[in-house]
Amino acid sequence: MTRQTKENNQWFLTGMVLSMTCWGFSWASGKYLSLYGSPITISFFRFALTFISLFLILLFLKEPLKISRKGFLYLFIASGFISLYTFLFFKGLSVGKAGAGGVLVTVLNPIIAYAVILLMERRKPTRNEAIGLFIGLVAGAILLKLVTEASSIFNAGNIYFLLASLSWALLSLFTSKSSRFGAPLAFSFWMYGISMVSLFLFTGIDATLTTVSKADFTFWGNLFFSATITTSMATTFYFIATSKIGAGKASSFIFMVPFSAALGSWIFLNEVPEVHTIAGGLLGIVAVYIINKKN
C-alpha cells in the first residue's frame, strides 16, 4: 500500500467517525426540533432543507438527476416509508428520551431489516443468523424493559420508536434497489422531494407559518444540522466511503451510532443512560455482529 493510499484511507476513516457521530447526535438535535411543532410539520421542514442541500451536492458531484421510469413505483413507496419513519422519529422524541430512542432504533434497525429479508426470501436462517436474531430479540426486550414490565412497550415513546424501526426496515428493501434505476443520490433526492410535497399537503400553510413564527436560532441551527450535516452530507460521505474503503469496513462504523446517540443526549440533554439501555445496546451490537459474521 502506497503512502498516498494510506493517507486517503485515513481521511475516509476519520470522515466515517465524524459521520457516525453526526448520525448519533441527530437524536438530541431532533429532540430540540420536536418542541417547535407537530411531528408532521417538523418532518416537512427537515425534508425541505434536505431536498435543497442534496440538490446542491448533486450539482457539485455532477451526478445525473434522472432515474428510470421503472423505478417510479419504488420511489413512491420509499417516499411513503421515509415519511412514516421521520414522523415516528419526531413523535417518539416528543414524548420519549432521545438517548434511549437513539439506542433502541439504531440497534433494532439492522436486526428487524434482516428478519424482514428472511421472511421475504422465504428461507431459513443459518446458524449464525438464528443465534444473532435470538440475541437481537433479547436485546430488544431489554431495551423496551419488557423483561421487568410488559406494558412498558407503550411507555415514553417506545411504541413509536419500535414502529420507526419496522418502517426503516421496510424502507431499506426499496432503497436497496435504487441503484438499478439511476444514481443512488438521485433516488434519494427525488424521494425526499416527494416526501416534502406530501407532508406539506398534510401539515398545511397555517401550521408551517406558525412554526416559522416560533423559530429561533436554536430551531434553525438544529434543523441545519439534522437535515444538511446529518442527512445530506454525512450520509453522502458514507456512500462515497463505502466505494473507497469497502462496504464491510464502512458498515462496521454503524456500531458507533448507538453510543454517539446516548453520548449526545447525555451532553446536550442531560439524559443519563439507564442500565437497561446500555445492556440492551451492547447485546444488540453483538447480535448484529453475529448475524453478519460468515459461518
Side-chain angles (χ1 to χ4, degrees):
M1 182 181 294
T2 65
R3 180 179 179 181
Q4 183 65 36
T5 302
K6 288 182 179 179
E7 291 178 353
N8 288 338
N9 281 347
Q10 186 64 40
W11 186 81
F12 278 111
L13 294 177
T14 302
M16 285 297 292
V17 171
L18 293 175
S19 296
M20 297 303 99
T21 302
C22 287
W23 281 7
F25 279 20
S26 68
W27 284 85
S29 181
K31 180 68 175 181
Y32 281 112
L33 289 173
S34 68
L35 304 175
Y36 286 85
S38 69
I40 293 180
T41 304
I42 301 303
S43 297
F44 160 72
F45 276 101
R46 184 175 184 178
F47 285 140
L49 191 54
T50 300
F51 180 75
I52 295 171
S53 56
L54 270 179
F55 177 71
L56 297 175
I57 291 174
L58 284 164
L59 285 181
F60 176 77
L61 296 176
K62 297 181 179 180
E63 289 275 7
L65 295 177
K66 184 179 179 181
I67 63 170
S68 170
R69 289 184 180 181
K70 295 180 180 179
F72 284 3
L73 179 60
Y74 285 85
L75 183 62
F76 279 97
I77 294 176
S79 297
F81 279 123
I82 190 66
S83 298
L84 177 61
Y85 168 80
T86 307
F87 166 78
L88 293 167
F89 170 83
F90 284 116
K91 184 64 176 178
L93 286 174
S94 67
V95 296
K97 292 184 177 181
V103 174
L104 173 64
V105 174
T106 55
V107 164
L108 292 186
N109 275 353
I111 297 172
I112 294 178
Y114 212 92
V116 169
I117 290 173
L118 288 176
L119 289 174
M120 294 289 290
E121 294 180 350
R122 296 181 180 180
R123 70 174 179 87
K124 294 181 179 180
T126 63
R127 183 174 63 88
N128 279 351
E129 290 170 344
I131 294 173
L133 289 172
F134 175 75
I135 295 176
L137 186 64
V138 175
I142 294 174
L143 285 167
L144 292 168
K145 298 176 69 174
L146 296 180
V147 176
T148 57
E149 185 183 351
S151 62
S152 64
I153 190 173
F154 301 106
N155 297 339
N158 281 345
I159 188 64
Y160 297 113
F161 293 139
L162 186 60
L163 291 173
S165 293
L166 178 59
S167 62
W168 185 269
L170 295 173
L171 168 67
S172 300
L173 294 177
F174 293 93
T175 55
S176 64
K177 313 291 185 182
S178 62
S179 59
R180 296 180 181 180
F181 313 115
L185 282 179
F187 187 93
S188 297
F189 168 74
W190 292 115
M191 178 183 70
Y192 285 116
I194 294 171
S195 299
M196 173 188 68
V197 174
S198 301
L199 288 174
F200 181 75
L201 295 177
F202 279 102
T203 189
I205 187 65
D206 292 337
T208 303
L209 293 177
T210 299
T211 300
V212 171
S213 67
K214 295 190 298 183
D216 52 15
F217 179 79
T218 300
F219 174 82
W220 294 116
N222 281 286
L223 183 65
F224 178 80
F225 175 79
S226 179
T228 302
I229 302 298
T230 300
T231 306
S232 298
M233 298 182 67
T235 303
T236 299
F237 185 88
Y238 176 81
F239 288 144
I240 295 174
T242 299
S243 65
K244 299 295 182 180
I245 64 177
K249 184 177 290 186
S251 62
S252 66
F253 281 87
I254 295 178
F255 292 141
M256 294 180 55
V257 179
F259 292 105
S260 58
L263 179 63
S265 300
W266 192 1
I267 295 173
F268 298 108
L269 301 173
N270 295 319
E271 293 182 2
V272 180
E274 298 182 51
V275 174
H276 75 276
T277 300
I278 298 173
L282 290 173
L283 202 59
I285 290 173
V286 172
V288 175
Y289 172 78
I290 292 176
I291 288 174
N292 289 280
K293 185 180 179 182
K294 293 182 179 180
N295 287 307

